[in-house]
Amino acid sequence: MKINQATIFPLSIPLIEPIKMAKELIVDAKTVLLCLTDEEGRQGWGEASVAPLMTGETLDSLLASLKYLVEKARSIEWSDPNLFAKSSDAVLYGNPSAKSCLEMALLDLYTQKHSISLWKYLRSLNTGAVLTELTEIPLLRMIGGAPEKEMADAKSFREAGFKHWKIKIGSLSLEEDLRRVQLLSDLLEGDIISVDANGAMSLDDALHFCISPQARKLSFAEQLISADSSVNDFALLKARSPIAIGLDESIHGSAEIMELMKANALNGASLKLIKTGGVMEAWSCAQILRKNNLQLNLACKVAETSLSGAATASIGFAVGDVPWGFSMSNQYLRFDICDQPLTAQRGHLYLAQLNATGVGVTPNMDRVKDAVAQGYSIIQY
Ligand SMILES: [Mg+2]
């Protein structure tokens, strides 16, 4: 498979409402789409969002590295998806988001060419035990904002069928966060409720948080302490916490999962394509988690469109179990770039939405062009 043409779209899509994390306030999705055309005229799409605090990539740096990769990609014969990442690594160090964007577009082309949907292709690579068939993946809904608003949102989304929740913590005092967590846990009792501090807590605060009675109804706590913490600190936190410990910013691929698993430092992990450098490595990570009875959360960066959502969900449908839910972030966008965006139905994403060959969704070129970020332009090769 050869690349004849490539077009890069730097996009900015406003969020329905700003999302406050421990260390940043997000008001729009800065995301990059890539459209590749192969020698037979097929088009394949990829996407990656900027995440300065997670991958170190900004819109400008993501565009620069993607342009560089795409220029090199044109002279490469792309025949085996298992080698896509290796080929990208051979021309550029680091930059996992740019590599994920390119790999997604290549996989979209490859799976279209072989008339198979991406999730089925991934499943065909499984050599282990027979995998469970999934028809739906539970979506994880983020809640935050003023106290009355987060309670009202939790109520209305629960009525809409959501049963997986994430409470962003770490920007208020520990006592305030604990109070919020207790109120929301009482309201949502019986559901899978999690918190995510994005690494903002000290180890002492994290331990205090986990053993506090207000937090006892939580199903898991994600990345309470900084990814820079020692493995010993993570192991200590997990050993002393009555709540399951999930890791996100600490995990960029299978090597870190293996290391933290050996140290008994996690109960599960959150996988994002921009961290793993693409679908194939995320798929390997998901299999490692499953084989070792660790929990899986799949996530898009806040926020990515249906395209990245479909590629990420494909891993869940392929592996057959997403116990900690899927953070499908297009639900926070004011608009999407597909004519038929992925949608939540009773709080779930249904497999029927991903039956098409390839990644499963196709952006509408006009919508994509309308979303180009101010001050940026479309780049064509
Ligand atoms: Mg997280």
Side-chain angles (χ1 to χ4, degrees):
M1 200 168 74
K2 294 286 269 189
I3 305 306
N4 275 8
Q5 198 180 315
T7 314
I8 300 171
F9 303 89
L11 306 186
S12 167
I13 304 178
L15 301 189
I16 295 167
E17 57 194 48
I19 292 179
K20 184 157 178 42
M21 310 225 181
K23 297 174 190 167
E24 60 184 329
L25 178 73
I26 301 178
V27 296
D28 67 337
K30 290 194 176 58
T31 193
V32 176
L33 263 61
L34 167 67
C35 180
L36 298 178
T37 308
D38 71 7
E39 72 272 45
E40 288 163 356
R42 241 176 251 109
Q43 288 190 327
W45 288 84
E47 177 181 11
S49 283
V50 306
L53 295 176
M54 189 166 273
T55 63
E57 291 160 291
T58 63
L59 186 55
D60 290 312
S61 73
L62 178 54
L63 282 172
S65 44
L66 188 58
K67 274 157 63 179
Y68 184 83
L69 271 177
V70 162
E71 280 169 27
K72 302 281 182 190
R74 296 181 55 156
S75 61
I76 298 173
E77 173 67 36
W78 300 92
S79 52
D80 180 359
N82 290 298
L83 302 176
F84 286 175
K86 202 174 169 188
S87 299
S88 292
D89 289 343
V91 293
L92 182 69
Y93 176 81
N95 296 283
S97 307
K99 285 172 180 169
S100 174
C101 189
L102 174 63
E103 193 209 55
M104 195 187 298
L106 290 166
L107 281 170
D108 193 23
L109 283 176
Y110 180 90
T111 46
Q112 284 181 57
K113 187 182 169 91
H114 292 86
S115 303
I116 188 169
S117 52
L118 177 60
W119 76 269
K120 276 189 190 161
Y121 169 69
L122 293 175
R123 182 171 273 240
S124 75
L125 303 176
N126 173 50
T127 52
V130 176
L131 301 170
T132 311
E133 299 276 341
L134 271 191
T135 55
E136 64 199 50
I137 294 178
L139 294 178
L140 185 153
R141 182 82 202 181
M142 204 166 8
I143 32 184
E148 316 74 49
K149 185 179 181 311
E150 58 186 8
M151 292 293 279
D153 281 353
K155 262 186 212 156
S156 66
F157 283 103
R158 196 183 209 208
E159 277 162 19
F162 283 83
K163 290 185 178 306
H164 285 61
W165 309 95
K166 173 181 282 189
I167 307 167
K168 284 287 182 186
I169 58 168
S171 61
L172 303 172
S173 72
L174 193 60
E175 294 313 317
E176 280 175 284
D177 274 340
L178 281 167
R179 197 162 45 243
R180 292 170 59 220
V181 164
Q182 179 161 36
L183 286 171
L184 287 161
S185 300
D186 288 344
L187 179 71
L188 300 168
E189 189 156 6
D191 291 355
I192 304 285
I193 312 164
S194 65
V195 291
D196 186 355
N198 294 102
M201 284 185 171
S202 66
L203 179 59
D204 280 351
D205 279 356
L207 288 167
H208 181 147
F209 180 90
C210 290
I211 60 174
S212 297
Q214 298 98 309
R216 71 177 193 281
K217 290 176 187 163
L218 292 176
S219 298
F220 68 101
E222 184 173 298
Q223 201 72 48
L224 296 185
I225 59 174
S226 162
D228 295 332
S229 309
S230 70
V231 173
N232 284 346
D233 282 355
F234 285 109
L236 182 74
L237 178 60
K238 179 179 172 281
R240 297 213 183 145
S241 171
I243 307 164
I245 296 296
L247 295 179
D248 180 1
E249 283 88 343
S250 291
I251 305 291
H252 296 83
S254 43
E256 281 157 334
I257 293 180
M258 300 296 280
E259 184 193 359
L260 289 157
M261 202 170 68
K262 272 190 199 132
N264 199 16
L266 79 170
N267 297 96
S270 175
L271 301 180
K272 292 186 178 78
L273 305 181
I274 55 167
K275 295 189 302 173
T276 60
V279 167
M280 299 301 283
E281 175 63 9
W283 165 242
S284 297
C285 291
Q287 285 180 303
I288 293 170
L289 293 172
R290 185 185 60 80
K291 284 175 187 161
N292 291 282
N293 296 316
L294 295 172
Q295 309 297 304
L296 167 66
N297 162 255
L298 289 170
C300 296
K301 175 76 179 108
V302 175
E304 294 178 280
T305 73
S306 287
L307 184 61
S308 194
T312 308
S314 296
I315 294 162
F317 286 116
V319 81
D321 192 18
V322 191
W324 280 354
F326 170 36
S327 311
M328 187 173 81
S329 61
N330 74 326
Q331 56 187 324
Y332 308 113
L333 293 176
R334 206 170 285 173
F335 60 88
D336 208 324
I337 43 78
C338 298
D339 289 329
Q340 291 179 316
L342 299 183
T343 52
Q345 290 165 18
R346 297 296 304 156
H348 291 73
L349 175 70
Y350 282 80
L351 179 59
Q353 295 187 57
L354 291 184
N355 268 343
T357 62
V359 167
V361 299
T362 307
N364 174 316
M365 190 63 88
D366 292 331
R367 284 173 185 258
V368 173
K369 287 178 180 168
D370 286 345
V372 169
Q374 209 171 11
Y376 290 84
S377 42
I378 296 166
I379 302 156
Q380 187 132 24
Y381 289 93

